[in-house]
Amino acid sequence: MSTAVDDELWSAIGDPTRRTMIDLLLADGPGTATSLSRRLPVTRQAVAKHLAVLDRVGLIHGEPAGRERHYQVDEAQLARAVAQLSAVGATWDARLRRIKRIAETIERDRQYSEGD
């Protein structure tokens, strides 16, 4: 599994309404634009647009069901997003540890030179 960061995926996840929609679909199972719009402070049309974005990046998939589509989370794609987040977090943890070591060295050197 690749952990290269997918900017389009993270742009889709970056929207709070879309994250809430993913949470609702995970908690309640498949849903439609209509059922999701009842639980969100946005119109059905806005929900449909958000669903299209999530579908385009593969986080959800819609199946036709009568006049609507039933959407559910693609767990493999969500796992990929989680792996990316973990990789980015590990990279930043390493960077912060290096910055801390540099700052500590600077502080020790400053204290040593003041003691002279």
Side-chain angles (χ1 to χ4, degrees):
M1 174 186 309
S2 171
T3 56
V5 174
D6 179 337
D7 289 332
E8 189 175 4
L9 174 67
W10 284 101
S11 178
I13 292 173
D15 184 276
T17 299
R18 290 193 282 265
R19 285 194 308 272
T20 300
M21 292 169 66
I22 291 170
D23 288 343
L24 290 171
L25 292 171
L26 286 169
D28 301 339
T32 64
T34 301
S35 68
L36 289 167
S37 69
R38 289 184 193 124
R39 304 201 44 209
L40 295 165
V42 295
T43 66
R44 186 200 175 285
Q45 183 179 11
V47 168
K49 288 180 180 183
H50 284 298
L51 288 169
V53 171
L54 293 170
D55 195 21
R56 187 179 68 244
V57 299
L59 280 169
I60 64 170
H61 295 291
E63 300 273 333
R67 297 177 64 188
E68 295 232 46
R69 294 180 68 79
H70 284 217
Y71 291 92
Q72 63 184 32
V73 174
D74 181 312
E75 292 183 19
Q77 184 72 331
L78 185 59
R80 181 173 162 254
V82 169
Q84 287 181 19
L85 183 58
S86 293
V88 168
T91 299
W92 274 102
D93 284 347
R95 287 176 183 160
L96 291 172
R97 282 192 300 274
R98 284 193 302 271
I99 291 169
K100 181 180 178 192
R101 283 193 305 270
I102 291 167
E104 288 170 345
T105 299
I106 291 169
E107 181 63 21
R108 269 194 313 272
D109 291 348
R110 185 182 64 77
Q111 288 175 354
Y112 178 75
S113 67
E114 289 175 356
D116 286 344

